């Protein structure tokens, strides 16, 4: 899993998945594996006792890593599918409430 604390103190975790499954739809940036990538956020700042799962990142991801910039922008990097899939990032400018569409940076 990948962990990050946003500028408001909420804890984000991206975990699971290994490229999604065919039942999840077509993966335009790679192939399918098994499972789906998930993004959860703590319900309270700096508190891991309860979580909300958000549907705002691609479920085809695996090997997720977060980076937070000095201005608070969050980037989520991951492989978009199983083996030999594109590596992508998704950017959030609102503390992970929403993420832009995946951008491929390595094929």
């Amino acid at each position: 899993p990948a962990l990050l604390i946003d500028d408001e103190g909420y804890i984000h975790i991206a975990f699971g998945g290994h490229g999604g499954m065919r039942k999840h739809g077509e993966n335009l940036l790679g192939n399918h594996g098994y499972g789906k990538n998930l993004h959860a956020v703590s319900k309270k700042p700096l508190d891991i006792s309860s979580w909300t799962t958000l549907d705002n990142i691609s479920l085809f991801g695996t090997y997720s890593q977060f980076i937070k910039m000095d201005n608070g922008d969050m980037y989520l990097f991951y492989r978009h599918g199983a083996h030999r899939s594109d590596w992508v990032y998704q950017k959030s400018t609102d503390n992970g409430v929403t993420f832009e569409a995946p951008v491929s940076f390595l094929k």
Side-chain angles (χ1 to χ4, degrees):
L3 293 168
L4 177 137
I5 299 174
D6 68 27
D7 283 350
E8 294 179 358
Y10 289 91
I11 303 166
H12 297 255
I13 183 169
F15 65 98
H18 195 72
M21 296 179 275
R22 293 195 188 285
K23 73 178 185 178
H24 296 130
E26 185 177 4
N27 182 351
L28 300 175
L29 298 172
N31 53 25
H32 295 92
Y34 187 79
K36 61 182 179 178
N37 200 35
L38 299 172
H39 174 214
V41 180
S42 61
K43 290 187 177 182
K44 297 178 186 175
L46 303 176
D47 180 354
I48 62 169
S49 64
S50 60
W51 299 85
T52 299
T53 301
L54 302 177
D55 185 20
N56 61 1
I57 62 170
S58 173
L59 57 87
F60 295 112
T62 191
Y63 303 121
S64 297
Q65 294 295 317
F66 280 114
I67 295 176
K68 185 174 76 168
M69 308 305 285
D70 287 342
N71 67 358
D73 288 355
M74 295 167 49
Y75 289 84
L76 178 61
F77 291 84
Y78 56 91
R79 189 176 71 195
H80 201 275
H83 304 276
R84 299 186 183 198
S85 296
D86 290 10
W87 283 86
V88 303
Y89 68 85
Q90 287 187 254
K91 179 182 177 183
S92 174
T93 58
D94 58 5
N95 286 320
V97 174
T98 62
F99 279 86
E100 297 173 2
V103 175
S104 174
F105 68 90
L106 180 65
K107 294 193 178 291

